[in-house]
């Protein structure tokens, strides 16, 4: 074996293949197919098996498949066909998987929208993605935002469902929400269609032939940027079916961890997020698993579900696992049904992984990925060599190399040397929607996607994320861009200068802290006042967590605000 001083970790040498667990192959075949075909195959193989479970209701694969077929016909009656983009602005309810697969069967393209987004970000996504039809629910935290945009954007039609459409006691739940003021009134007109009406559609939908699966787009998945304008990653049928195959391959070995037609997934991660879409819904359908949907993460509900429903697969983010470990009844509950837990979205503390294994007998398997990679990239073997602090090794058919931080045209060739992580594989996006310049800037000359993450690789091919080249925070598993926050804070009439950095947060990983210089003569500004001002300007995941008012902010010799000085100051405070 080569020594760290001379060995190469460029994408062509594949050092990680030597450390692959028994029964796994890096060159495993990854079947590529239309994404909707995965559902068709599950319906054919497991028609009476539970596909979706929600608030006490069980929907079998046969029932799910039939609902998707009817909804696809209903969407086509609304004008959905190839080239038409349909937005999904939904929580984790059965509406999501039905609408997702129905859009694809109707010939359309899905655009995911996050309920965490500020309204002006939603407006940008509608115009940029060319969304004409959007599916949402009549909840007060969803429908009113889109109703306003229906009058002020290119949106033509809203398909509106209700939480009470599903669940063993759906009518009772809907009445409770109505009584609590949580239901928004929805007009009856030609711009609104009830979701249940889609499911009453008669006749078969038209099937459109697909071209090259590496070119045909399934979903536009928006990801933030340092410029403040989110970009739509074009994820294709080949991307997403390759990713689900890569996830499945990572559970193989001797013996395999997961079995087709038997698993039970707890889906708490939001399906509008690429991690849940890919690692929960699509992988679950690929396996013929039961998808147990929760609309949000409530630790008591999750603990009860894990134990009572004998959940075997629970993808999550570190904050969720930390909350479980901190639950007062954690040691009293039987969580030993868990077989596979993938942790993503943020670095996983070593202590959390160790304590979770002691509690459940199931490892937390950390991986690295991005929206642009569907979002797979690396995995930590559930069995075999595990390295504390590492995000694992490249998944099957993924090539990773590191490039010089000073000269990206040069590869890093020594193990243990830091460089920008670059990735190539069938899971890497086609490019950014309607943004060839950003696409070109994100790629190396030899076709690798530049992640913006700084990493080191050891001689076994295990990667360690050590920094970021992009100005980005990870808050509770979500990417948060300080420049976006700064631009919003600058709109406050009292603010002269602002600088936002990330500070450690025991629960969320990082939390944004704003350092503000006020304009001369401006009144004092409190954190609560600033939060109130930012409420409609930032998403909930982006909200400023701490505020410090200063007479002056540190600057570089050329007069630029110096984030480095602020980061160093905060580090010294914590060390004192």
């Amino acid at each position: 074996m080569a020594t760290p001083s001379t060995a190469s970790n460029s994408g062509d040498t594949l050092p990680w293949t030597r450390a692959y667990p028994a029964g796994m192959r890096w060159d495993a075949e990854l079947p590529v197919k239309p994404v909707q075909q995965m559902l068709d195959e599950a319906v054919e193989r497991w028609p009476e098996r539970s596909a979706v479970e929600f608030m006490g209701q069980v929907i079998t694969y046969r029932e799910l498949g039939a609902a998707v077929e009817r909804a696809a016909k209903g969407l086509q009656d609304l004008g959905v066909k190839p080239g038409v983009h349909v937005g999904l602005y939904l929580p984790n309810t059965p509406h999501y998987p039905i609408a997702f697969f129905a859009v694809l069967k109707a010939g359309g393209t899905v655009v995911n929208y996050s309920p965490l987004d500020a309204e002006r970000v939603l407006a940008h996504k509608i115009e940029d993605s060319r969304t004409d039809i959007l599916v949402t629910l009549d909840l007060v935290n969803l429908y009113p935002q889109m109703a306003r945009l229906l009058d002020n954007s290119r949106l033509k039609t809203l398909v509106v469902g209700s939480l009470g459409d599903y669940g063993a006691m759906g009518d009772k739940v809907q009445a409770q929400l109505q009584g609590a003021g949580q239901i928004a009134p929805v007009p009856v007109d030609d711009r609104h269609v009830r979701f249940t009406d889609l499911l009453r559609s008669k006749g078969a939908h038209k099937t459109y032939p697909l071209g090259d699966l590496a070119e045909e787009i399934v979903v536009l998945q928006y990801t933030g940027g340092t410029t403040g304008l989110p970009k739509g990653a074009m994820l294709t049928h080949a991307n997403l079916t390759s990713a689900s195959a890569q996830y499945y391959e990572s559970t193989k070995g001797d013996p395999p961890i997961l079995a087709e037609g038997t698993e039970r997934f707890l889906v708490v991660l939001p399906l509008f997020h690429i991690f849940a879409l890919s690692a929960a819904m699509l992988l679950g359908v690929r396996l013929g698993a039961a998808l147990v949907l929760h609309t949000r993460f409530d630790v008591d509900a999750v603990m009860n579900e894990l134990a009572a429903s004998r959940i075997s697969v629970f993808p999550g983010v570190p904050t969720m696992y930390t909350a479980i470990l901190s639950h007062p009844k954690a040691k009293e509950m039987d969580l030993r049904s868990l077989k596979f837990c993938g942790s993503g979205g943020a670095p996983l503390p070593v202590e959390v992984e160790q304590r979770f294994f002691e509690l459940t007998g199931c490892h937390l398997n950390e991986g690295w990925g991005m929206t642009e990679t569907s979002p797979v990239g690396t995995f930590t073997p559930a069995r075999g060599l595990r390295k504390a602090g590492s995000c694992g090794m490249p998944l099957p058919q993924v090539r990773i190399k590191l490039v010089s931080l000073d000269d990206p045209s040069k590869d890093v060739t020594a193990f243990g040397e830091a460089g920008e992580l670059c990735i190539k594989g069938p899971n890497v996006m086609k490019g950014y929607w309607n943004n060839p310049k950003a696409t070109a800037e994100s790629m190396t000359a030899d076709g690798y996607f530049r992640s913006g993450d700084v990493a080191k690789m050891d001689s076994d091919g295990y990667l360690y994320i050590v920094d970021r080249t992009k100005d980005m925070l990870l808050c509770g598993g979500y990417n948060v861009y300080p420049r976006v926050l700064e631009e919003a804070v600058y709109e406050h009439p009292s603010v002269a200068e602002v600088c936002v950095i990330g500070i450690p947060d025991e629960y969320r990983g990082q939390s944004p802290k704003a350092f503000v210089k006020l304009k001369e003569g401006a009144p004092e500004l409190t954190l609560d006042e600033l939060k109130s001002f930012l409420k409609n300007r930032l998403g909930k995941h982006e909200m400023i967590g701490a505020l410090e008012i200063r007479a002056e902010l540190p600057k570089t010799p050329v007069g630029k605000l110096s984030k480095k000085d602020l980061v160093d100051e905060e580090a010294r405070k914590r060390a004192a």
Side-chain angles (χ1 to χ4, degrees), residues 166-186:
Y166 295 97
M169 296 187 292
D171 291 343
K172 183 177 180 181
V173 169
Q174 191 71 11
Q176 289 174 339
L177 290 170
Q178 186 79 52
Q182 295 301 305
I183 302 299
V186 178

Side-chain angles (χ1 to χ4, degrees), residues 39 51-52 59 64 67-68 88 90-103 195 271 277 281 285 291 293:
L39 176 62
V52 175
I59 301 171
L64 176 61
V68 167
L88 302 186
L90 294 165
N92 287 6
T93 65
H95 304 84
Y96 189 96
I98 291 170
F100 180 89
F101 286 109
V103 170
F195 187 87
L271 288 167
L277 172 62
M281 190 178 85
V285 169
L291 304 177
L293 303 182

Side-chain angles (χ1 to χ4, degrees), residues 219-287:
V219 60
L220 293 182
Q221 190 74 33
Y222 276 80
T223 180
T226 55
T227 62
L229 291 176
K231 303 185 292 291
M234 297 184 285
L235 301 180
T236 67
H237 288 272
N239 291 154
L240 291 173
T241 54
S242 293
S244 66
Q246 288 165 318
Y247 279 126
Y248 186 35
E249 287 294 326
S250 75
T251 72
K252 292 184 177 180
D254 191 13
I257 297 169
L258 303 182
E260 294 181 328
T262 65
E263 306 302 341
R264 294 178 59 76
F265 282 50
L266 179 56
V267 186
V268 178
L269 291 168
L271 288 167
F272 60 77
H273 193 286
I274 187 59
F275 185 18
L277 172 62
S278 187
M281 190 178 85
L282 295 182
L283 175 61
V285 169
R286 162 71 180 78
L287 291 171

Side-chain angles (χ1 to χ4, degrees), residues 145-155 158 191-192:
Q145 291 89 308
M146 286 303 169
R148 288 191 291 271
L149 291 168
L150 187 62
D151 295 324
N152 297 290
S153 74
R154 64 176 290 140
L155 269 182
L158 291 181
R191 304 182 75 188
H192 292 80

Side-chain angles (χ1 to χ4, degrees), residues 309-337:
S309 297
R310 309 302 295 163
I311 298 297
S312 58
V313 180
F314 177 38
V317 294
T319 52
M320 293 180 179
Y321 301 122
T322 300
I324 289 171
L325 292 171
S326 301
H327 194 277
K329 295 184 178 180
K331 293 182 179 179
E332 301 172 20
M333 305 183 79
D334 181 8
L335 306 180
R336 295 272 163 172
S337 62

